[in-house]
Amino acid sequence: PHPIAMAAHDRDALPFPTGAGYAALAMNGAKGGATKYITLQYLNYARWTSQQHSCNMPQALRIMARTHLLSAEGRWTPFGFFKFWRPVVTLANETVHWGMKVPLAMGLYNQFRESGLGAHFGLFSAVALSSAGEAVVTGWSERFGVHMGLKQNIRTYGESFRIASEARGSAVAGAWAGAGGLWVRNFAWNFAFFEWKRYLHNAVDKTPEGAPAFFCAHLDWLRGLERKNQANVLTFEAATLGTYLTFFNMAGDNIKTKMQVDPARYPSFSGTALEIWKQHGLLGFARGSLFKGIYLILGATLAIGIQERLSDIMASIMR
């Protein structure tokens, strides 16, 4: 039987192919994360710009064009487009981040289920810890990426680290500036994504009682797809729901970006949140939503799609 189908027999399990083991799942997630960076980093940069300036999409695009695509003399410089991929530490960040996201959450969730915490509170607890792990392991590289990406006059990692450390009073606080916001962002999205992913896979296996006609028709359409295509569509749908139904996902992201790009002005989580509220109101916490939505939905579908497909192939070879 198909690994995804096997997971679906246990309706509380997370529906990812583990037939080749967690190490293979992590390795293939890393490949997906790297692909996501290579193909979609310009959207990530647009999100950072919108959050840095607390501005809307057209304003962010104008800032990006004025900063990187026009010379001081006003000449068009198309190769400036490639500056959106600077610094390359962001590649390491995306690779490690997406490599550890699914297997770490699954491993912790299995432990919490065995201890009796249940399907939902067990997942909640597991994702809270796995998201903290993501922040610890990748928070420093995320900070470098935002700081040096948005302030490209900072030429070295050492200079970026010095600025952040002096602003926040210690090396650790400087290196992990914005880690609190990063945890809020990751936890809100991860928990919603995993819950929706599980629910949708279960719905394909067995239509929920009382489901509306349009949803039943959609499930019938999904059942007619090949398994690999079905998994990709379900990942896309879970990523969409996880992105746009979690306000704290965007709120944490805005706080994180401001703390990382300007640690002297935004030295603390609570102080940054308060300043955003005073200056921009509730909308200030949602800046970059469109860019992040497109980037995260497409990126998650791409990264996790690669992870699932390669892990599925490896499991098939090993059988």
Side-chain angles (χ1 to χ4, degrees), residues 50-61:
S50 181
Q51 293 171 344
Q52 177 190 14
H53 298 279
S54 292
C55 62
N56 58 29
M57 181 181 71
Q59 291 171 324
L61 292 174

Side-chain angles (χ1 to χ4, degrees), residues 5-85:
M6 287 175 64
H9 288 303
D10 179 356
R11 297 182 66 81
D12 290 340
L14 294 179
F16 296 94
T18 58
Y22 285 102
L25 198 64
M27 179 180 66
N28 293 326
K31 295 174 184 176
T35 305
K36 174 175 175 279
Y37 164 80
I38 292 168
T39 57
L40 299 174
Q41 174 58 19
Y42 60 94
L43 290 172
N44 201 24
Y45 193 95
R47 174 188 114 224
W48 293 344
T49 302
S50 181
Q51 293 171 344
Q52 177 190 14
H53 298 279
S54 292
C55 62
N56 58 29
M57 181 181 71
Q59 291 171 324
L61 292 174
R62 282 196 295 270
I63 291 170
M64 290 168 65
R66 188 169 60 245
T67 305
H68 300 298
L69 301 180
L70 292 174
S71 69
E73 296 76 27
R75 291 194 301 270
W76 173 242
T77 55
F79 288 109
F81 179 75
F82 295 103
K83 291 182 179 180
F84 301 149
W85 276 262

Side-chain angles (χ1 to χ4, degrees), residues 274-311:
L274 185 61
E275 182 165 338
I276 292 174
W277 174 259
K278 286 182 176 178
Q279 293 191 357
H280 308 286
L282 195 62
L283 183 61
F285 293 101
R287 288 301 188 187
S289 296
L290 181 58
F291 290 123
K292 181 172 177 60
I294 298 170
Y295 172 71
L296 190 51
I297 291 166
L298 293 180
T301 303
L302 179 66
I304 294 179
I306 291 173
Q307 180 180 48
E308 290 184 311
R309 184 58 181 152
L310 292 179
S311 298

Side-chain angles (χ1 to χ4, degrees), residues 88-101:
V88 293
V89 72
T90 305
L91 172 60
N93 177 73
E94 295 287 352
T95 301
V96 175
H97 176 201
W98 288 93
M100 67 187 298
K101 181 183 292 292

Side-chain angles (χ1 to χ4, degrees), residues 112 117-126 191 195:
F112 286 132
L117 291 185
H120 300 291
F121 185 63
L123 182 61
F124 181 94
S125 303
F191 179 63
E195 281 281 18

Side-chain angles (χ1 to χ4, degrees), residues 27 35 37 47 102 127 131 146 175 203 208 213 226 254 258 282 288 313 318:
M27 179 180 66
T35 305
Y37 164 80
R47 174 188 114 224
V102 171
V127 172
S131 299
V146 173
E226 292 185 17
N254 273 271
K258 286 188 178 296
L282 195 62
I313 292 171
M318 293 172 65

Side-chain angles (χ1 to χ4, degrees), residues 134-200:
E134 290 177 26
V136 169
V137 174
T138 67
W140 64 272
S141 54
E142 173 97 7
R143 190 209 65 81
F144 274 123
V146 173
H147 194 210
M148 296 176 67
L150 292 175
K151 294 194 171 183
Q152 299 209 359
N153 59 308
I154 299 174
R155 305 303 301 175
T156 67
Y157 295 106
E159 182 184 0
S160 172
F161 178 63
R162 177 187 59 77
I163 291 170
S165 298
E166 290 177 355
R168 303 203 72 212
S170 74
V172 173
W176 274 269
L182 178 62
W183 179 84
V184 171
R185 181 197 76 180
N186 287 358
F187 170 69
W189 188 86
N190 289 348
F191 179 63
F193 171 76
F194 285 130
E195 281 281 18
W196 278 109
K197 175 86 166 163
R198 176 171 59 184
Y199 173 80
L200 291 170

